[in-house]
Amino acid sequence: MRLLTTILPVWIGLALAEDGSRGWLRYAPVRPTGHNTLDVPSTIVALNSTKISPVFTAGQELRNGISSILAKNVQVRADGCSNSSAVIVGTVDAYRAAYGDVKEAEALEDDGYLIHSTPDKVIILGCNERGALYGAFEYLSQIARNNVTSGVHVSNPQAPIRWTNEWDNMDGTIERGYGGASNFFRDGYVVDNVTRAAEYARLLASVGINGVVVNNVNANATLLSDRNVEGLGRLADAMRPYGVQLGVSLNFASPNATLGTFDPLDPKVDAWWANITNQIYKKVPDMAGFLVKANSEGQPGPLTYNRTLADGANMFARAVAPHGGVVMFRAFVYDNHITYANWTSDRANAQLEFFQHLDGKFDENVVVQIKYGPIDFQVREAPSPLFAALHNTSTAIELQVTPEYLGQNCHFVYLAPLWKEILDFDLRAESRPSKIKDIITGERFKRPLGGYAGVPGAGTNTTWLGSHMAMSNLYAYGKLAWDASLGSEDILQDWIRLTFGFDQKVLDTITDISMRSWPAYEGYSGNLGVQTLTDILYTHFGPNPASQDNNGWGQWLRAGNVTIGMDRTIENGTGNAGNYPPEIAEIFNDVDKTPDNLLLWFHHVPYTRRLKSNKTVIQHFYDAHYEGAASAQSFVKQWESLEGKIDKERYEHQLFRQTYQAGHSLVWRDSINEYFYNLSRIEDESNRVGNHPYRIEAESMDLDGYKSYVVNPFETASGFTAIVTTSNTTAGTATSKVPFESGTYDVAVNYYDLFNGTSTYTLDIGNRTVATWKGDNEKKLGHEPSRYLDGHTATRITFKGIKVSKGDTVRITGQPNGIEPAPIDYLSFLPPGIVD
Ligand SMILES: *[C@@H]1O[C@H](CO)[C@@H](O)[C@H](O)[C@H]1NC(C)=O
Ligand SMILES: *[C@@H]1O[C@H](CO)[C@@H](O)[C@H](O)[C@H]1NC(C)=O
Ligand SMILES: *[C@@H]1O[C@H](CO)[C@@H](O)[C@H](O)[C@H]1NC(C)=O
Ligand SMILES: *[C@@H]1O[C@H](CO)[C@@H](O)[C@H](O)[C@H]1NC(C)=O
Ligand SMILES: *[C@@H]1O[C@H](CO)[C@@H](O)[C@H](O)[C@H]1NC(C)=O
Ligand SMILES: *[C@@H]1O[C@H](CO)[C@@H](O)[C@H](O)[C@H]1NC(C)=O
Ligand SMILES: *[C@@H]1O[C@H](CO)[C@@H](O)[C@H](O)[C@H]1NC(C)=O
Ligand SMILES: *[C@@H]1O[C@H](CO)[C@@H](O)[C@H](O)[C@H]1NC(C)=O
Ligand SMILES: *[C@@H]1O[C@H](CO)[C@@H](O)[C@H](O)[C@H]1NC(C)=O
Ligand SMILES: *[C@@H]1O[C@H](CO)[C@@H](O)[C@H](O)[C@H]1NC(C)=O
Ligand SMILES: *[C@@H]1O[C@H](CO)[C@@H](O)[C@H](O)[C@H]1NC(C)=O
Ligand SMILES: *[C@@H]1O[C@H](CO)[C@@H](O)[C@H](O)[C@H]1NC(C)=O
């Protein structure tokens, strides 16, 4: 292993349009100072000239990549003699047929590749055609990172199933997608233009993803119409050159419309599915398989007919088996009408209740797909105990790349550390090493199938996910699905080099922001395993802890005025701790042994209970929220330090989001702290909570055309009250005298930016107009919309370095628009170095 050049490359990619559409596959030029270039042959031999072959794709990709990165003229050929300089790419079989044996190839497994690299000759071989393409992408990545490894490098994936689940609806929307509309569907049909589908498959293939389920798990039977099946064929054709197989989600009740039943044990139903499955395979001969969400959140399923979930899964398994297909059956089955008053009811127990007794009853081509935790993609969960309970059933882990409960790509959270914590968790099944990453590969319980299902939420936005930085999550998802032993930071840094180039400061800064991003978000959202304290009944975006208790959904905090947390103990609680194998159960069942970060997941304790850190629970809440929000402020400064070091387009796009996040982190901080202060009445030892000396509450200003408005939930307004215009057409003003000493301040305005309305605001101080802005975040951000003044719409804008004299008149004028009554919460006059 050596670097072929040690000279620092100069980044010259700045002139390229950086709209994010090429993701990490930018093939930006690497031009070492001096005149050396990486020693790469200029002939490519791709051992298959069929256009749909991934080997052919590999040849094209190598040509495009090498010519772009190294500014070199490169040609592709279908053959070449064995002793001339070339990059040869193909399957092992094709290579053997053309050139004779290659010994190292014996180590290759399905989808695996080897790269044998010398300055003069590079041989890239796949166990299959797709493997050859993976090898080509890896080699190009090495060139793009200016770090070509010489010698022989063999890589096999750890899991056979490395899929994405796109939650695209047939109407063109994407459930939990924050980057625009569907790439696959519009107005009830598969799109005609499959260019984006192909571009997406290219990105996915470059990180080893081999399957894409194109429609939402909340599936619609209209997917199976003749016109849409035809369309599925088109999508599959677009993705096939990248070795990406198409899969589809099914609505369990699809046959109901024609047969009047969907009983999985009714032979008519069985025949119906066999027929439609055959129809799909006619158009998509290599379809990967089906994904099924049944008897979950109102979806139909086998329980309607008193059949087991295994009966349901096996019906599909029988239909795809002759075609080599797989059925991914979701374990996300629970009753969403459980009784809050019952101390021992627990949604987290549902998976075991529904699936444990079915272990061994699923057909061999069924994979039970399990979310990483027993509830629903929270900021932190205990790992799902189901992974340890199924020994005779293949399993896969479901990870959300789209951060539904982690800021919806308007906050940036690098998720690989969260995933790694789950994947590396040792469940000690049968008191033996049982890391989740070894269970889902099939290794631990000797299962033939298993792997990963990631939910990216990629849309038509040029950034794919709505945020450039969020793409590190898609990249990391693929890399971990291939090899879960990789380090979060190593994966990240490769992505940074590919995405933003080689500047050391860029690398260090983005690494630091990314690695601190999950702790920051956990800090200001929900601590100690209490879950993301968001509004679970509405948008899953901003704060609203009260929404979690007192309903049937079971995402409970059990937050009272003295105590908080779910009692999941065996003796006195829901018994969930006992769902884990004995060595783990013993830890989680014991309040003293449970790690602080999962304390409230497993135990119901007083706010005054002391943690291992010796802080009380409530003080930990307060401190963590202040620390997390402070991190979010520092991310803005850190990002700003990169100005000029990355292209303006992506710099500005991300700066807007980091700034938004910093403001919204304060909304989170204050809401959660106010909420728990009001519940517990326990003072913050540092006297910050409820104490904001730099603020002017809008409701305390002189109002003309504005009126006070009590916000719900109360904690999402400073002082629980905001102002709204009295008319929905006429501007209002709020006026006050500046009570602060004369000086230079950063002036922040907290207001509410509702969906469906673009209010205009003007801020005047003294005789000057400081700023005019519009409440148009809904056009820029892409998170779930809200139509109310609440924790989702609360936002902040800051004007820096404003000279202010004591006694100046400060006036905000708000012009309402649509349903948005120019709502304002408060103003903050912040002396240098203070953010509040
Ligand atoms: C070339 O690619 C096509 C399409 O993938 C495949 O059917 C064929 O078997 C390949 N030929 C060889 C020699 O690998
Ligand atoms: C270059 O690649 C080698 C082998 O993968 C790796 O160990 C090393 O850390 C890489 N260096 C850089 C700067 O990425
Ligand atoms: C298809 O979509 C691509 C990518 O969005 C676009 O560039 C192209 O113009 C479209 N083609 C047609 C014929 O609309
Ligand atoms: C399925 O799609 C059709 C046509 O778009 C729509 O009328 C129907 O409500 C959808 N059904 C479900 C269950 O989403
Ligand atoms: C099945 O069809 C019947 C009418 O034949 C209808 O009443 C029922 O709601 C349907 N069930 C589902 C889950 O679509
Ligand atoms: C099989 O499915 C196709 C397409 O939906 C339909 O046209 C055909 O009638 C079905 N055949 C049977 C025997 O159900
Ligand atoms: C459902 O099936 C179980 C087991 O086969 C049986 O004991 C029970 O009576 C059935 N219930 C109904 C309502 O059919
Ligand atoms: C409370 O819930 C548990 C677990 O679901 C159940 O076994 C028990 O019967 C319930 N108790 C009452 C009184 O409903
Ligand atoms: C979509 O992309 C455009 C251009 O990159 C960007 O301005 C806009 O903010 C994006 N929209 C969302 C919802 O991310
Ligand atoms: C807690 O609430 C109960 C009843 O809701 C009330 O009686 C009690 O005084 C409250 N305790 C505190 C510390 O506020
Ligand atoms: C035991 O459960 C009861 C509810 O049944 C609860 O009120 C109490 O706090 C729990 N005790 C402990 C020590 O957690
Ligand atoms: C924990 O904090 C309490 C209150 O400040 C203090 O009295 C106690 O000595 C501390 N315990 C330890 C082990 O530091």
Side-chain angles (χ1 to χ4, degrees):
M1 245 180 257
R2 71 186 169 93
L3 287 180
L4 293 182
T5 172
T6 50
I7 299 164
L8 269 186
V10 169
W11 177 242
I12 57 160
L14 297 181
L16 298 166
E18 294 286 10
D19 62 9
S21 51
R22 289 167 304 163
W24 53 85
L25 295 179
R26 295 157 56 249
Y27 297 148
V30 171
R31 190 183 58 184
T33 48
H35 298 289
N36 328 34
T37 51
L38 280 176
D39 228 345
V40 170
S42 43
T43 299
I44 292 152
V45 179
L47 297 174
N48 196 320
S49 45
T50 314
K51 286 219 164 61
I52 59 160
S53 167
V55 171
F56 179 81
T57 307
Q60 303 301 303
E61 202 68 37
L62 285 163
R63 184 196 59 206
N64 297 345
I66 292 171
S67 61
S68 171
I69 303 167
L70 300 176
K72 219 175 144 100
N73 251 330
V74 195
Q75 48 164 330
V76 189
R77 301 160 46 150
D79 51 43
C81 69
S82 65
N83 53 9
S84 55
S85 166
V87 179
I88 301 173
V89 62
T91 60
V92 172
D93 288 347
Y95 185 87
R96 281 190 178 134
Y99 302 105
D101 199 24
V102 41
K103 209 166 63 252
E104 297 88 346
E106 277 151 30
L108 290 182
E109 296 161 16
D110 260 6
D111 290 0
Y113 62 83
L114 77 77
I115 303 174
H116 186 170
S117 174
T118 63
D120 198 37
K121 173 152 279 162
V122 180
I123 300 168
I124 302 172
L125 300 183
C127 177
N128 49 26
E129 292 185 72
R130 177 198 281 155
L133 177 61
Y134 294 157
F137 274 123
E138 169 59 23
Y139 179 62
L140 282 165
S141 170
Q142 292 181 4
I143 296 174
R145 287 182 284 116
N146 201 36
N147 187 7
V148 173
T149 306
S150 61
V152 179
H153 167 62
V154 175
S155 185
N156 290 309
Q158 290 168 348
I161 293 173
R162 304 178 306 278
W163 294 9
T164 65
N165 291 179
E166 310 295 332
W167 288 357
D168 292 36
N169 296 314
M170 316 271 312
D171 66 3
T173 59
I174 302 177
E175 184 167 332
R176 313 300 173 198
Y178 314 113
S182 172
N183 291 308
F184 306 124
F185 303 99
R186 188 176 311 140
D187 301 332
Y189 299 105
V190 176
V191 295
D192 293 324
N193 185 343
V194 294
T195 305
R196 280 284 280 193
E199 287 171 358
Y200 189 49
R202 171 174 174 256
L203 276 174
L204 297 180
S206 76
V207 289
I209 304 290
N210 59 4
V212 176
V213 175
V214 290
N215 64 312
N216 194 351
V217 285
N218 295 317
N220 194 317
T222 59
L223 180 80
L224 303 176
S225 72
D226 290 350
R227 176 169 164 186
N228 278 326
V229 170
E230 192 84 39
L232 291 174
R234 205 157 55 237
L235 290 176
D237 290 348
M239 298 195 282
R240 189 170 296 112
Y242 297 96
V244 175
Q245 287 171 263
L246 176 130
V248 295
S249 296
L250 297 176
N251 183 307
F252 199 93
S254 299
N256 194 39
T258 37
L259 302 181
T261 175
F262 51 95
D263 179 352
L265 296 191
D266 184 329
K268 286 197 303 291
V269 174
D270 217 45
W272 191 92
W273 280 114
N275 176 47
I276 193 70
T277 302
N278 293 340
Q279 306 295 324
I280 300 173
Y281 273 100
K282 276 185 198 156
K283 301 293 173 197
V284 188
D286 55 354
M287 190 186 60
F290 293 144
L291 168 62
V292 182
K293 173 179 181 179
N295 290 115
S296 167
E297 300 179 328
Q299 290 296 327
L303 302 182
T304 307
Y305 295 94
N306 197 27
R307 310 301 188 195
T308 71
L309 295 169
D311 292 334
N314 293 341
M315 170 179 68
F316 300 112
R318 285 191 296 276
V320 292
H323 307 278
V326 167
V327 173
M328 306 294 284
F329 198 80
R330 281 179 110 220
F332 189 55
V333 180
Y334 68 99
D335 176 1
N336 58 12
H337 299 101
I338 57 175
T339 311
Y340 185 72
N342 184 344
W343 188 256
T344 61
S345 57
D346 188 357
R347 167 169 160 190
N349 286 342
Q351 292 182 344
L352 246 60
E353 285 164 10
F354 281 107
F355 283 90
Q356 190 169 29
H357 68 284
L358 298 176
D359 189 22
K361 302 217 162 94
F362 292 96
D363 286 1
E364 283 296 285
N365 58 337
V366 174
V367 177
V368 172
Q369 180 172 315
I370 307 169
K371 292 190 180 190
Y372 64 75
I375 299 287
D376 193 16
F377 301 130
Q378 299 300 295
V379 67
R380 186 182 293 275
E381 297 194 26
S384 172
L386 188 57
F387 290 113
L390 299 179
H391 299 192
N392 300 301
T393 304
S394 298
T395 57
I397 192 168
E398 183 172 320
L399 301 171
Q400 238 185 356
V401 181
T402 191
E404 172 183 352
Y405 288 95
L406 288 94
Q408 306 191 347
N409 286 338
C410 301
H411 296 232
F412 167 60
V413 183
Y414 178 52
L415 296 166
L418 185 166
W419 298 335
K420 287 278 290 183
E421 204 158 304
I422 298 287
L423 292 169
D424 288 339
F425 193 96
D426 188 347
L427 284 164
R428 303 291 303 162
E430 300 162 319
S431 296
R432 285 173 46 203
S434 308
K435 290 197 173 163
I436 290 176
K437 65 182 179 190
D438 299 324
I439 294 172
I440 57 175
T441 56
E443 189 188 316
R444 171 65 181 83
F445 296 121
K446 305 286 168 253
R447 299 296 313 164
L449 285 172
Y452 293 77
V455 183
T460 52
N461 198 275
T462 59
T463 63
W464 296 96
L465 305 182
S467 145
H468 294 287
M469 288 284 274
M471 287 293 273
S472 60
N473 290 325
L474 186 54
Y475 182 87
Y477 168 69
K479 290 289 175 182
L480 286 175
W482 185 274
D483 178 0
S485 72
L486 294 173
S488 305
E489 192 167 318
D490 293 337
I491 296 172
L492 174 73
Q493 295 204 327
D494 282 352
W495 174 80
I496 297 170
R497 290 188 186 94
L498 295 171
T499 304
F500 291 111
F502 296 93
D503 188 293
Q504 190 65 35
K505 168 132 180 136
V506 171
L507 185 75
D508 293 344
T509 304
I510 296 181
T511 300
D512 187 66
I513 293 175
S514 303
M515 297 310 289
R516 288 166 59 217
S517 61
W518 178 37
Y521 190 83
E522 183 178 32
Y524 61 75
S525 63
N527 321 120
L528 305 175
V530 79
Q531 306 171 91
T532 310
L533 295 173
T534 188
D535 192 326
I536 65 150
L537 304 175
Y538 191 32
T539 72
H540 301 187
F541 182 61
N544 186 359
S547 70
Q548 310 201 253
D549 278 327
N550 283 304
N551 58 49
W553 287 94
Q555 252 171 274
W556 300 330
L557 319 173
R558 293 208 181 274
N561 57 4
V562 179
T563 49
I564 183 171
M566 277 295 286
D567 185 344
R568 292 191 158 114
T569 60
I570 300 165
E571 295 77 13
N572 191 60
T574 73
N576 177 263
N579 284 349
Y580 293 84
E583 289 177 41
I584 304 303
E586 195 203 319
I587 296 169
F588 289 158
N589 194 48
D590 184 337
V591 68
D592 294 317
K593 290 184 186 158
T594 302
D596 281 351
N597 61 22
L598 287 172
L599 181 70
L600 303 180
W601 185 272
F602 286 109
H603 300 282
H604 186 73
V605 301
Y607 290 107
T608 51
R609 183 189 162 85
R610 289 201 177 271
L611 303 171
K612 296 188 181 13
S613 64
N614 199 33
K615 277 185 192 180
T616 61
V617 165
I618 190 75
Q619 193 58 42
H620 182 95
F621 269 35
Y622 295 152
D623 290 348
H625 280 81
Y626 271 89
E627 284 156 18
S631 293
Q633 312 309 310
S634 70
F635 297 157
V636 179
K637 287 216 166 63
Q638 287 178 284
W639 188 261
E640 282 172 340
S641 76
L642 303 182
E643 187 170 12
K645 292 185 176 294
I646 55 185
D647 55 287
K648 199 167 166 53
E649 197 171 350
R650 290 183 298 172
Y651 171 79
E652 296 289 350
H653 194 272
Q654 192 60 31
L655 178 61
F656 175 75
R657 275 161 199 272
Q658 293 298 156
T659 305
Y660 170 80
Q661 175 181 350
H664 200 227
S665 75
L666 300 177
V667 173
W668 267 101
R669 180 196 77 183
D670 292 349
S671 299
I672 301 301
N673 284 346
E674 281 292 346
Y675 182 81
F676 286 103
Y677 172 67
N678 276 275
L679 211 52
S680 70
R681 292 283 156 197
I682 298 171
E683 300 287 343
D684 167 25
E685 284 166 10
S686 305
N687 196 31
R688 295 157 300 188
V689 176
N691 181 16
H692 304 288
Y694 308 103
R695 293 185 185 176
I696 300 175
E697 293 295 336
E699 64 274 20
S700 70
M701 298 170 82
D702 293 328
L703 306 182
D704 183 6
Y706 260 116
K707 62 181 179 193
S708 287
Y709 182 92
V710 178
V711 173
N712 179 21
F714 72 86
E715 69 274 11
T716 59
S718 188
F720 311 160
T721 308
I723 59 171
V724 295
T725 52
T726 50
S727 132
N728 58 11
T729 50
T730 315
T733 61
T735 312
S736 182
K737 295 275 182 227
V738 174
F740 307 109
E741 295 306 319
S742 302
T744 301
Y745 294 86
D746 289 349
V747 179
V749 181
N750 274 58
Y751 64 107
Y752 299 85
D753 198 336
L754 280 51
F755 184 68
N756 266 355
T758 303
S759 306
T760 306
Y761 299 89
T762 306
L763 173 66
D764 295 290
I765 300 178
N767 299 325
R768 288 175 303 137
T769 294
V770 170
T772 296
W773 73 97
K774 287 186 188 305
D776 61 355
N777 275 349
E778 70 266 39
K779 298 197 179 92
K780 301 176 192 157
L781 283 174
H783 62 74
E784 295 287 337
S786 165
R787 293 174 161 75
Y788 309 102
L789 279 71
D790 57 22
H792 321 300
T793 55
T795 188
R796 161 175 288 212
I797 191 164
T798 306
F799 308 103
K800 292 191 180 157
I802 310 295
K803 277 216 164 65
V804 177
S805 298
K806 187 169 182 173
D808 271 356
T809 297
V810 52
R811 181 173 56 248
I812 293 208
T813 308
Q815 170 66 50
N817 175 262
I819 65 160
E820 191 176 79
I824 304 166
D825 187 4
Y826 66 91
L827 281 67
S828 240
F829 284 71
L830 300 164
I834 289 179
V835 180
D836 188 43

